[in-house]
Each structure stands twice: as C-alpha cells, then as structure tokens.
Amino acid sequence: MGTKISADIGIIAAGPAGLCAAAAAAESGCSVVVFEKAAGPGGAANMGMGPFAVESRIQQKSMVNLTKEKAFRQFMDYVHWQADAQLVHDYIWKSGDTINWLEDMGVRFAAVMKNFPESEQTWHVVMPEGGGIPGPRSASAMNKVIHEYCVDNGVKFYFNTPAKKLIKSGDSVTGFYASGTDGEEYEVTAKSVIIATGGFGTNPDMIQEHCGYTLNKDLFDFMIPGIMGDGIRMAWEAGAGHGRMEMERIGVPNLPGASLGEWPQTTLFMQAGPLAVNKSGYRCCDESVLQNGSICENIIDYQQDKVMYKILSDDMVKYYRRNGMDFPSEVFHGNPAENFDDNMQRAQEQYPNLAFVADSLEDLAEKMGINADNLLNTVERYNDMCDENYDDDFGKNRNYLHPVTGKKFYALEFRCNAYGSLGGIKINHNYEVITDDYQVIPGLYAAGTDVCEIYNGTYYYYFPGNTMGFALNSGRMAGENAADFVQD
Ligand SMILES: Cc1cc2nc3c(=O)[nH]c(=O)nc-3n(C[C@H](O)[C@H](O)[C@H](O)COP(=O)(O)OP(=O)(O)OC[C@H]3O[C@@H](n4cnc5c(N)ncnc54)[C@H](O)[C@@H]3O)c2cc1C
C-alpha cells in the first residue's frame, strides 16, 4: 500500500519557490514535508546567478536609489497594468526583506548588479560556493543554504520522489500521491499543499499547445530536466483555473552552451558594435538595444524565419582587444577578443550552420545562406555612417559605430530562446489557487514559475533577477499564507 506520511504542509518541489515556501512555513511552526523529482534541491535556479530585489540592505549600502514605489510604477507601466497589481505590489515590497532574510540564513551575495547599462541595479548575484568570482551557476550556493536552513528547522525532504496526483476531500485539497524512483509509493496527507514545479519549459507539447512555438524550430530552450508541467497538470485536474501562459523568451547566440559561458567569443558578438542583419541581409536594429535579452528576442522573433545574424570583422576584433568591451561584464569573464579567430574556427567546425568565418563578405554571405548583394550594400552603407560618425538608420550611440572592415569576417546566428515557461495555474494575490470562476480551492497554494504571469508578453529585463526573485518571494509568501491557513 506504500508509505503514509502526514504533515501540516506538503510542498511539491524544491526549486527556489518550494525551498522558500518550506523555510517560511517551518518558521511559522508548521510541520513540513517536501517532495522533489530531482536528486537534489535548487531546480533551474542552480543554473542562474541571482535574484531581483528593491531596497535590500545591500542596495542601501551600495547607494542604489531605486525605490519600491518607483519600481512598482515602472513595472506596471511596462506591462500596461495587465497583471495583478496587488500581487506585483506584494512581490516588490517584500523583495528587499527577502534578500535580508536570505543573508541572515547564511546566503552570501557577491554584489548587486545591472546586466546592461539601461537596466536597474536589482540583480543580487550570489557568491559562488567557496567564494571566488560569480558567474553562471552561482545561485546553486543560495539554494544549498536555504535547503540546509530548512533541514535545521525540521523540514523533511524526499528527493527522487515526484508527486503524481493531488488528493481532494470535497472541494479542499488534502494531500498528494508521490512515487519514488526506487519504486516506493507515498500517500501524503496535509492540511495544505503548495505546488512549485517550475512550469512546462521542457515539455514540447505544452509549449506548442499553450504558446504556439515549435521547440527547436522557432524556439530553443534550456531544457532543464524534469520541468514538464507536472504541477500545472495536477492543479488543473483538481479544478484550478488556467492562468496566462507564455515563454520566458530571450534572444541569444544559438551555439549550445553559449549562455553558460562555454563559448567566450560570443560575448564579443553581444557588444553594441557588431552589425545585426536578417536573412535578407538588411540591418534590423540599433545593435545597442540587443543587450536587453527580451528586446533582442522580440527583434529576432519579428524577422524572416525568426533568425538574426551578428557580424564582426578582424578590424573590429582588434578594436575590442585594444579598447575593451562596450559593456564590460562582471559575470562573464576573460577578454573574448583574445583567441577570437581560433575560437570561431573551432565553433565553425563544430557548428557550421551557426558560426561562420570567411575571407570576404561575399563568402560569408554564401556560408550563411543570406542575400549577398543586400549584405554588401548594408555593410557599405553602415561603414559610410561610421565614417560620418552618425547612424542615420537608427541613431545608435556614436561610441558604438565601428566599421566592418578588414581581411576576415565572422558571423554568428542568434535565435529565439527561453529560460523556461511562465504561468499556468490561476491564483489570487494570496497565492491561493482559484478556479476559472475565481473560487478559492481550500488548502491549495502555488508559487514560482507555475504561477508567474506578471510580464504580459515580454520579460522585464530592466529589473535583472526578476523570475528568480519572483520564485523566492512568491514561495515565501505562499509558505506564510499556507501556515496561516493551517493555524487558523
Ligand atoms: C540558465 C539559466 C539561468 C538563469 N538565471 C537566472 C538569474 O540569474 N536570475 C533570475 O531571476 N532567473 C534566472 N533563471 C530563471 C530561474 O532559474 C527560474 O525563474 C527559477 O528557478 C524558478 O524557480 P521555481 O522554484 O519556480 O522553479 P524551478 O527552479 O524550475 O524548480 C522546479 C522544481 O520542480 C521539480 N519538479 C518538477 N516536477 C515535479 C514533481 N512532479 N514533483 C516534485 N518535484 C517536481 C523540479 O525537479 C525542480 O527542482 C535562469 C534560468 C536558467 C535556465
């Protein structure tokens, strides 16, 4: 018959949302069990660098003057107020305190950063385990600390044990079934259940059905193992309404591993100088706006076949080697202009459809399969504008006007990509799961990516760290609210 377990609160998943829900519920004095599909805690956030917040202690010390009020207004205007204003308010108002809470738990943040010049300084980049320079995967150190804090506060974790189905008693949710990969079956009885399974970012069918993208054709994805929409499915089966569903889209070089720093030369292509063209060989934007990954994605999404190329020449590489980057990065290290040609040759050998090296622009266009005449005209016009020191196409900042000249030419394909999905389970601002008729399902809460539907189409990159910030804060609030429900 399997193992029967009972607790005040049963939490499905141990990503940052589930971990913070567990920590908050345990602090409130509840008994808590967490069932996680993977072998350890942290979820997709183990790949990332850090969360968003406003008015944290670190920001105050760093004299960051973004206020909660300003952040709230900026955010709501950006999404045209097409989001639950009360929920966004609570998230932003709580965010600074959540960073302080995590610090008090033992999480160490390396610094609070921007990720491009026009963004706000909201990104609390986590100090990697053992110290050192932060970078991709730093946030795994944060997840480890929260997990240890939960264990110290009596939370019991079951890894390799995915939840399968919610248990209902009348209208209320009173537990769930789970199955261990070792074959052990569990029946968990709980006064309240919190779902935080990270969305459907690795489920091609759900992406197609709910967002209209064909995976690996018009959208690429990090494909974090196990993020299959389980929690959303379980909630819907239990009567939950359908929330707004979209992908957390970013435009990136399509070389596998590039976003994790595995191809250092890609950082050079992401500077404001390299020319951006579409398949027809026409220039498609002021290249300096591409630093904003969401805007970059929107630009790519609009082009023929949803593809964009960035072009560099050896003269431009020399310029960057001498002068450094337009946007020096604190999290992608080294000078990408060093060994650039070798790295590009290696990329071309491994991925001849994504990275291109040629001795002339004609050859480059042929390798890329784009219109050569148009590309030559585009480059000629662009170089003239560089000579005149004025971008008559898009008004790009003069500092970024570097002519595409020299003896060698390089191009990299950029595609629409996604960190994962957003939204699915309908909730109210208390993180209570509700039906399509806005009726609360007693005992059922949800948090993190499974419910994150605040962006209205384009992820708000101007506040870096936003989805991890939402996961931590929504999880924490769901844990607090579930504890109140249990203790009432
Ligand atoms: C490469 C990369 C870098 C990123 N960098 C950043 C960053 O720097 N800042 C930022 O704000 N965001 C970043 N993100 C996004 C961020 O990681 C997510 O927003 C965040 O992890 C969402 O947290 P979550 O707890 O909702 O879900 P997740 O972290 O996805 O965790 C979900 C968990 O649910 C588990 N699960 C799934 N199904 C079940 C089931 N049936 N039963 C039990 N458990 C289940 C999964 O195994 C997983 O552990 C990044 C994402 C990627 C992919």
Side-chain angles (χ1 to χ4, degrees):
M1 274 304 291
T3 306
K4 287 186 189 289
I5 288 172
S6 107
D8 289 332
I9 299 183
I11 297 177
I12 302 179
L19 287 171
C20 284
E27 280 179 348
S28 303
C30 292
S31 59
V32 181
V33 290
V34 180
F35 280 71
E36 163 59 52
K37 190 191 244 183
N46 286 339
M47 312 283 281
M49 298 194 225
F52 155 92
V54 194
E55 295 190 27
S56 68
R57 275 194 304 247
I58 310 170
Q59 282 166 314
Q60 282 159 355
K61 280 187 206 148
S62 308
M63 297 185 202
V64 177
N65 60 6
L66 179 68
T67 61
K68 295 187 283 239
E69 295 79 7
K70 187 166 169 239
F72 173 72
R73 189 56 197 252
Q74 213 169 303
F75 186 93
M76 291 307 291
D77 284 347
Y78 181 87
V79 301
H80 305 294
W81 289 76
Q82 280 270 354
D84 183 334
Q86 189 68 62
L87 181 134
V88 173
H89 163 278
D90 293 352
Y91 159 40
I92 289 178
W93 255 250
K94 186 100 173 169
S95 61
D97 182 65
T98 293
I99 295 293
N100 304 344
W101 180 63
L102 293 171
E103 276 193 311
D104 293 344
M105 235 180 245
V107 177
R108 290 166 68 214
F109 294 96
V112 57
M113 298 181 188
K114 294 182 167 200
N115 61 356
F116 59 96
E118 291 79 24
S119 66
E120 297 287 353
Q121 208 175 336
T122 58
W123 200 18
H124 292 69
V125 175
V126 178
M127 180 80 83
E129 220 182 326
I133 309 170
R137 299 191 171 88
S138 289
S140 59
M142 172 186 76
N143 297 323
K144 200 167 170 226
V145 171
I146 311 173
H147 171 243
E148 284 164 4
Y149 178 80
C150 288
V151 171
D152 289 347
N153 281 276
V155 177
K156 185 113 180 48
F157 284 85
Y158 296 80
F159 291 109
N160 292 314
T161 315
K164 300 285 180 189
K165 190 176 179 359
L166 296 177
I167 301 171
K168 278 188 93 174
S169 173
D171 287 340
S172 303
V173 168
T174 54
F176 54 87
Y177 298 106
S179 307
T181 47
D182 58 1
E184 185 70 28
E185 299 292 327
Y186 295 85
E187 181 179 333
V188 180
T189 305
K191 294 176 191 144
S192 174
V193 171
I194 303 173
I195 297 176
T197 60
F200 54 94
T202 308
N203 185 327
D205 295 338
M206 284 183 83
I207 292 172
Q208 180 80 63
E209 185 181 346
H210 300 288
C211 306
Y213 289 102
T214 305
L215 204 61
N216 296 327
K217 179 171 169 281
D218 46 23
L219 187 82
F220 296 77
D221 190 304
F222 282 95
M223 302 298 281
I224 306 296
I227 310 293
M228 297 299 287
D230 295 0
I232 298 171
R233 175 189 50 76
M234 285 187 267
W236 285 347
E237 283 169 5
H242 289 55
R244 182 164 63 201
M245 295 166 82
E246 55 196 22
M247 298 302 288
E248 188 190 351
R249 296 172 292 113
I250 45 157
V252 291
N254 208 19
L255 280 181
S259 300
L260 297 173
E262 285 167 25
W263 295 97
Q265 75 272 31
T266 55
T267 310
L268 200 60
F269 281 99
M270 294 172 86
Q271 303 306 307
L275 186 65
V277 298
N278 58 22
K279 249 192 151 163
S280 304
Y282 296 131
R283 188 173 173 215
C284 39
C285 60
D286 164 355
E287 291 80 3
S288 67
V289 304
L290 297 169
Q291 279 286 304
N292 179 330
S294 313
I295 299 295
C296 178
E297 200 281 342
N298 278 350
I299 290 167
I300 299 168
D301 194 74
Y302 190 75
Q303 311 304 319
Q304 181 192 349
D305 295 340
K306 299 188 190 299
V307 62
M308 179 187 81
Y309 302 92
K310 289 200 80 183
I311 295 177
L312 273 162
S313 66
D314 51 354
D315 283 353
M316 294 166 93
V317 177
K318 268 183 229 144
Y319 167 87
Y320 283 114
R321 197 175 297 131
R322 258 198 325 270
N323 299 290
M325 301 299 112
D326 301 323
F327 308 119
S329 170
E330 290 186 82
V331 289
F332 289 106
H333 311 293
N335 183 346
E338 297 301 335
N339 303 320
F340 182 84
D341 186 64
D342 287 351
N343 284 331
M344 280 304 290
Q345 298 285 359
R346 199 162 52 84
Q348 182 180 240
E349 272 160 35
Q350 258 180 274
Y351 298 106
N353 298 324
L354 307 178
F356 312 92
V357 182
D359 295 331
S360 69
L361 282 166
E362 289 86 341
D363 283 354
L364 192 73
E366 197 186 321
K367 284 187 173 179
M368 294 159 72
I370 73 170
N371 186 309
D373 289 342
N374 288 349
L375 179 67
L376 288 172
N377 288 336
T378 298
V379 171
E380 193 182 340
R381 175 175 163 75
Y382 183 72
N383 288 349
D384 286 347
M385 292 191 295
C386 291
D387 286 347
E388 284 158 25
N389 204 21
Y390 179 67
D391 175 9
D392 202 23
D393 283 347
F394 302 119
K396 180 162 80 172
N397 184 321
R398 290 180 162 87
N399 294 336
Y400 306 142
L401 288 172
H402 314 308
V404 188
T405 53
K407 295 192 175 62
K408 224 146 191 201
F409 300 91
Y410 308 93
L412 206 58
E413 183 183 283
F414 278 57
R415 287 277 187 174
C416 303
N417 204 295
Y419 283 124
S421 66
L422 292 167
I425 303 174
K426 203 174 183 71
I427 52 158
N428 62 22
H429 67 270
N430 297 319
Y431 297 94
E432 292 169 302
V433 175
I434 56 176
T435 65
D436 279 325
D437 296 332
Y438 291 76
Q439 300 305 306
V440 169
I441 299 178
L444 186 59
Y445 292 78
T449 300
D450 282 339
V451 303
C452 184
E453 55 161 67
I454 59 177
Y455 301 112
N456 190 24
T458 298
Y459 177 57
Y460 195 57
Y461 231 69
Y462 294 100
F463 287 173
N466 216 301
T467 41
M468 201 184 290
F470 183 85
L472 295 166
N473 285 283
S474 62
R476 188 180 176 200
M477 287 184 271
E480 290 168 349
N481 295 344
D484 284 348
F485 172 82
V486 164
Q487 288 162 349
D488 262 356

